Amino acid sequence: MALESTMICLDNSEWMRNGDYVPSRLDAQQDAATMISNDRTNSNPESTVGILSMAGQGVDLLVSPTEDQGKILSAFAHIAIGGRSDLATALQIAQLALKHRKNKNGGQRILSFVGGPVSDTKEALTKIGKLLKKNNVAIDIISFGEIEENNEKLSALVEATCSNDNSHLLTVPCGISPINAILSSPIMSMGGGGMSAAMGASGSSMAGGAAAAGGENFDMYGGIDPSMDPELAMAIRVSTEEARAKEEARVKAAQDQSASEQPSASSSSSSSSSSAVVAPFGGYGASDEEDEEALMQRALEMSMAEMMHDQAAEGAKAAASSSSVTADSDFDVDEELRQALAMSVNAEKGISSSSAAAPASSSSSSSSFIDPAFVSQLLGSVDQNDPLFQAALAQLQAGSQPKNNEEEKKKEEDVGERGKKRKGDDK
């Protein structure tokens, strides 16, 4: 709350003895004045509050505007009931007290309780109201008790003083606690500030607000009665107001962000719609359903193409594996054929080495090896029509024939030499 000096005018006339407000008009007024003074001093450490009484032997200034809550609370104990209140004189003295306050900064406000009949005329109060307006002094009137009798005069006073909705008239019907009525009014919520437009300044609207406030269960203060613990109640109220302000700021920021996003979304949608119109037949210029169907068809085609590609890849892999298996099998057959030929060559070498001791047996074995039936029995399941096999067999046969010819020549030479020797011996 902004810095402000407040003068509280209390009504201590004989009408304040009535018990139509619990526990009495004077006690209800004192509780409300205590709550207001605590609110003013706690909201701003430099705000000041003064107290004066309007009845008795005359208007009595009990406390000048001060920040000391002890002095303010002790002033309530010196109030005595008696006489008739003088509202016009009390307002003028309060205005002078505000004029001579220590801290000249901040606003000026008079808060007056009226619980008895007002003896001043409407014209006099209007004149005082204009004087207060000229000196930049706002006024809040809390009327209870003699409501109908004082309504016209007090309304004229507030209207003459009001400037930019800074003055208010609060009417508290009988049976309603003044504290509850003040809590729901601009007097307490904004210190007589900008909430007056929402609450209204007429007596009927204030009466309706007071009636609504009577049904509250101190929800604004977390269920705590401000009359029992004003400081705690005000602390809870301030914290709830801060939380509400933060929440409102967050919601406003979210709304601003959504509002800023909407133009961009609309521009993008308009650009997409324009491009759709320019597109050829069956393209994006078609309706939304056609676009969806085209996208679905394209997705199906892509999925089918992927499936066919995968199947072709799997077929190629299978063909490659089968060809490798065939090549491996052919390689195995060739290897077996070579081994068989090597075995046959080794066997031939063994036979030829032993042929020196037994020529007859070697010739028979070589001839038996060349025999097709023996070869087929030796090689078993090897394909004899294979070109490699035929080439190896031909080479083997060609190698064995020269050896046999040489052996025969040697035999003939031996026989010839033996015959010559025999002829020489005979001679």
Side-chain angles (χ1 to χ4, degrees):
M1 184 182 293
L3 174 62
E4 190 176 62
S5 296
T6 306
M7 282 297 301
I8 299 177
C9 301
L10 301 177
D11 189 353
N12 57 337
S13 61
E14 294 292 342
W15 283 265
M16 301 302 291
R17 299 181 187 272
N18 295 340
D20 49 357
Y21 295 88
V22 180
S24 65
R25 292 185 183 182
L26 182 64
D27 293 336
Q29 173 188 249
Q30 183 175 343
D31 293 339
T34 302
M35 183 185 66
I36 293 172
S37 63
N38 290 334
D39 176 56
R40 296 294 189 269
T41 54
N42 291 332
S43 61
N44 193 314
E46 296 184 1
S47 295
T48 58
V49 177
I51 305 293
L52 63 81
S53 60
M54 300 187 296
Q57 297 180 357
V59 178
D60 185 10
L61 180 61
L62 302 176
V63 179
S64 299
T66 180
E67 303 92 348
D68 190 354
Q69 295 185 3
K71 293 181 180 181
I72 298 171
L73 296 176
S74 63
F76 295 124
H78 298 86
I79 298 175
I81 296 176
R84 190 181 185 93
S85 64
D86 188 357
L87 179 60
T89 304
L91 294 177
Q92 293 175 6
I93 294 175
Q95 191 268 332
L96 291 174
L98 292 173
K99 184 178 180 180
H100 297 285
R101 67 190 185 278
K102 294 180 180 180
N103 190 356
K104 301 296 182 180
N105 298 325
Q108 305 175 74
R109 182 175 299 277
I110 297 175
L111 195 149
S112 178
F113 289 88
V114 179
V118 178
S119 59
D120 302 301
T121 62
K122 179 180 178 181
E123 290 75 12
L125 293 177
T126 303
K127 184 177 180 180
I128 293 173
K130 293 180 180 180
L131 178 63
L132 295 176
K133 182 179 180 180
K134 182 179 179 180
N135 294 322
N136 297 323
V137 179
I139 188 170
D140 292 327
I141 303 295
I142 301 173
S143 176
F144 60 103
E146 310 298 328
I147 297 174
E148 296 180 358
E149 182 180 352
N150 299 330
N151 189 26
E152 184 179 358
K153 298 178 180 179
L154 297 177
S155 297
L157 173 62
V158 172
E159 290 176 0
T161 311
C162 184
S163 176
N164 296 325
D165 294 334
N166 65 344
S167 300
H168 309 89
L169 173 62
L170 176 62
T171 303
V172 183
C174 181
I176 302 300
S177 173
I179 291 178
N180 294 337
I182 294 170
L183 290 176
S184 61
S185 67
I187 296 174
M188 177 62 72
S189 60
M190 297 297 291
M195 291 294 292
S196 59
M199 299 299 295
S202 64
S204 59
S205 62
M206 290 299 176
E216 294 181 354
N217 191 19
F218 307 113
D219 294 337
M220 186 180 294
Y221 295 91
I224 297 174
D225 188 358
S227 62
M228 301 299 295
D229 194 348
E231 295 181 358
L232 179 60
M234 286 306 303
I236 294 174
R237 183 171 174 274
V238 170
S239 63
T240 53
E241 288 181 354
E242 291 179 354
R244 188 183 299 109
K246 291 180 180 179
E247 183 66 19
E248 291 177 355
R250 186 184 64 80
V251 172
K252 185 177 180 181
Q255 291 177 354
D256 295 340
Q257 183 177 2
S258 61
S260 62
E261 291 177 355
Q262 286 178 357
S264 61
S266 61
S267 62
S268 62
S269 62
S270 62
S271 62
S272 62
S273 62
S274 62
S275 62
V277 171
V278 176
F281 300 103
Y284 292 100
S287 62
D288 295 340
E289 295 180 357
E290 294 177 356
D291 293 341
E292 292 180 358
E293 292 179 358
L295 292 175
M296 290 293 294
Q297 185 66 24
R298 185 177 179 184
L300 289 173
E301 292 177 357
M302 292 177 65
S303 62
M304 292 296 295
E306 291 179 357
M307 292 176 61
M308 294 177 65
H309 179 71
D310 295 339
Q311 291 178 358
E314 292 179 357
K317 290 181 180 179
S321 62
S322 61
S323 62
S324 63
V325 170
T326 305
D328 294 339
S329 61
D330 294 340
F331 177 77
D332 294 339
V333 171
D334 295 339
E335 188 67 23
E336 290 177 357
L337 180 60
R338 289 175 184 149
Q339 291 178 0
L341 291 175
M343 291 173 63
S344 63
V345 170
N346 294 330
E348 182 182 359
K349 289 180 178 180
I351 294 172
S352 60
S353 61
S354 60
S355 61
S361 62
S362 64
S363 62
S364 62
S365 62
S366 61
S367 61
S368 66
F369 181 75
I370 297 173
D371 187 9
F374 175 75
V375 172
S376 61
Q377 184 179 1
L378 178 64
L379 298 179
S381 61
V382 178
D383 188 7
Q384 297 181 8
N385 296 324
D386 194 333
L388 296 175
F389 177 78
Q390 293 294 334
L393 186 61
Q395 183 179 2
L396 183 62
Q397 291 175 357
S400 60
Q401 288 177 0
K403 292 181 179 180
N404 293 331
N405 294 329
E406 291 177 357
E407 291 177 356
E408 290 177 357
K409 289 180 179 179
K410 288 181 179 180
K411 289 180 181 180
E412 291 177 357
E413 291 177 355
D414 292 338
V415 171
E417 291 178 355
R418 289 177 182 174
K420 289 180 180 180
K421 288 180 179 181
R422 288 178 181 177
K423 289 180 180 182
D425 294 335
D426 292 337
K427 289 180 179 181

